[in-house]
Amino acid sequence: SWGVSLQADVEFGEHILTSITSYRGWDNREIRDGDWLDRPYVGLNQLHDDGPQDSTTFTQELRLASPTGQTIEYVLGAYYSRAKSERTFTRNVISCTASTLAPVAAGLTPCSTTPGVSTFTNPIGSANFGSTFKNFAVFGQATINISEAFRLIGGLRWTNDDLSVFLDRTSNFPDARPGIRPNFSFRGKTDKSNVSGKAGVQFDLSEQTMLYGSYTRGYKGPAYNVFFNMYKSAVPPLAGLAGIDDTNVIDAETVNAFEIGAKNTFLDGAAIVNLALYYAKYKNYQANNPDLVAGVVTTRLTNAGTVSTRGFEVDFLLRPARNFNLTGGIAYSDAKVDRFRLPVGGNPANVVPSGTPLANAPKWKASLGADWTIETGGFANVELGSQIAFQSDQLYELSPNPVVRRGSTVDGYATMDLSAALADPDDGWKITAQVKNVFDTSFASSIVSGGPGGSFRYIIPREADRYFGITARVNFGGK
């Protein structure tokens, strides 16, 4: 991945015009062993995927900002982006129905592609697909300073999304085969406009405490599912095919969000404590969920329906002594499904019960960090640091099946990191030794169902094991 950006700030009297232009590129190649087996077996197919993909994104933003310190302060702007992505995805399957090889276990007979040894077919499918997503918006936000202590804030944004997609898939068999659907081509296009905004109020209770409250109407544009094995049942009516549903079109997501809080500074800046209470209700919530397509587990974006989240956050920064800092926070979030949206023609058995926790949303998260700089008066100072992070149970798969939900839930866990560094007093260089996950706490960053025999696939990150590292940094042209 790579990117370049250019920012220009031009003064027009007391106003400032800001232009931000950027271009980013991303190239990726997925090589996937989709069967989780060492070789094909009778009734258990070998499945290998190869999917190179490239994406580019261009953005342009213009903002005009008024001078500060006025009764009315404002920002006006416009934004444009164009994101284009294209992928060529090839699937190679070996499907075996009989073999002369001896079983390696009860009911588990290996297969071979050697002539005369096994009865097998080798379907191969390839698809070229992609999307172009254009977004244009104009926006404005103003702050009205009623007094030195009381402020009103308001903003509006008009957004237009224009999305087009395509897919062409061919295979060496005209009919459906394990892991590969029949040949198929598709073109689709949709657009959506929306007005969103916010309104807020701020009040300085004292020089140390600021109270605030806000309401925000949020918006996320529509989307498509475009994937290797998509077929007629997943194509919207605008493709001109009769008798099909619109499960492939992902409706725009909207949210009504409320927040109240306080920002506090005590002891001449030696203590900062911020508190916030929030509530948000999402309509047409967009979520990634596993789906079984042609016998293969894939991830599909869906409108999960109406969901809500409510909770509070507290974060702090304390300086109990010179060169010694304590930072941390705690957050509680009750995020759940209020009403699940079943696609047109969907199976009622696939309804996720109301009250089910959202995926990737633990109820509790907390952190505590400390850093201490020891000024030695010599060639280097000593910097010591530690960080503790905790989270409660977390669901990874929003499934209607309680067994799958339990199997795709990671139990709560805590990790601790330590560091020690030698640092140049003039910030010219720094050498840091680190220990990550000191207590070698094991956890999964994702759990997905759909493995052989109803098993689960655990994605284990590097951070789930204790490891050590040394980093060095040099600043040229320092103090």
Side-chain angles (χ1 to χ4, degrees), residues 5-316:
S5 64
L6 173 67
Q7 177 170 331
D9 297 292
V10 182
E11 294 184 2
F12 284 93
E14 295 184 328
H15 290 72
I16 295 179
L17 177 66
T18 299
S19 171
I20 303 175
T21 308
S22 73
Y23 187 88
R24 298 184 180 277
W26 183 77
D27 297 304
N28 178 67
R29 183 175 182 181
E30 176 191 7
I31 301 175
R32 176 174 176 261
D33 183 356
D35 50 65
W36 307 349
L37 303 170
D38 61 333
R39 60 192 298 185
Y41 294 85
V42 174
L44 294 174
N45 304 322
Q46 180 178 334
L47 187 152
H48 290 165
D49 294 334
D50 187 355
Q53 177 176 344
D54 63 86
S55 303
T56 59
T57 303
F58 168 79
T59 67
Q60 174 62 55
E61 182 173 359
L62 292 173
R63 294 197 308 264
L64 180 66
S66 69
T68 59
Q70 308 296 314
T71 301
I72 299 179
E73 304 170 6
Y74 60 86
V75 175
L76 302 174
Y79 176 84
Y80 171 80
S81 71
R82 181 181 184 272
K84 185 176 182 179
S85 179
E86 187 168 348
R87 188 178 199 189
T88 300
F89 187 96
T90 302
R91 173 163 292 167
N92 190 315
V93 181
I94 297 178
S95 179
C96 180
T97 58
S99 178
T100 61
L101 299 178
V104 296
L108 195 61
T109 303
C111 296
S112 171
T113 56
T114 302
V117 176
S118 304
T119 303
F120 69 93
T121 57
N122 183 204
I124 300 173
S126 183
N128 179 247
F129 54 95
S131 64
T132 300
F133 193 174
K134 299 177 183 179
N135 173 275
F136 176 72
V138 291
F139 58 88
Q141 179 166 311
T143 299
I144 303 175
N145 297 293
I146 305 297
S147 68
E148 292 186 359
F150 185 58
R151 295 171 293 281
L152 299 177
I153 300 173
L156 285 175
R157 183 183 188 96
W158 177 83
T159 302
N160 177 260
D161 293 314
D162 189 315
L163 177 59
S164 62
V165 296
F166 72 94
L167 176 135
D168 296 294
R169 182 181 63 250
T170 59
S171 66
N172 57 347
F173 286 89
D175 55 347
R177 295 286 166 156
I180 304 175
R181 284 181 166 179
N183 297 349
F184 183 63
S185 294
F186 165 66
R187 301 290 184 274
K189 182 178 178 63
T190 188
D191 64 87
K192 179 79 171 180
S193 295
N194 176 267
V195 176
S196 56
K198 67 176 296 183
V201 59
Q202 296 179 352
F203 178 68
D204 297 330
L205 190 64
S206 66
E207 292 185 358
Q208 293 77 35
T209 299
M210 187 267 283
L211 306 178
Y212 70 91
S214 68
Y215 161 75
T216 303
R217 171 71 172 183
Y219 163 80
K220 184 189 295 184
Y224 275 94
N225 278 305
V226 183
F227 55 98
F228 170 73
N229 255 329
M230 69 179 295
Y231 200 54
K232 295 179 181 180
S233 61
V235 177
L238 55 85
L241 300 175
I244 55 179
D245 59 53
D246 62 351
T247 56
N248 191 53
V249 178
I250 310 303
D251 288 341
E253 174 187 310
T254 58
V255 59
N256 292 308
F258 303 86
E259 182 176 341
I260 59 173
K263 297 184 180 294
N264 307 276
T265 303
F266 306 107
L267 304 175
D268 295 325
I272 298 174
V273 181
N274 300 319
L275 307 96
L277 296 170
Y278 64 87
Y279 170 81
K281 195 175 190 69
Y282 298 80
K283 183 180 179 182
N284 291 330
Y285 179 68
Q286 297 177 359
N288 276 310
N289 288 295
D291 192 10
L292 192 65
V293 180
V296 179
V297 175
T298 186
T299 299
R300 189 196 295 253
L301 188 65
T302 63
N303 283 122
T306 302
V307 305
S308 61
T309 178
R310 58 194 54 78
F312 67 85
E313 296 178 351
V314 179
D315 62 80
F316 64 87

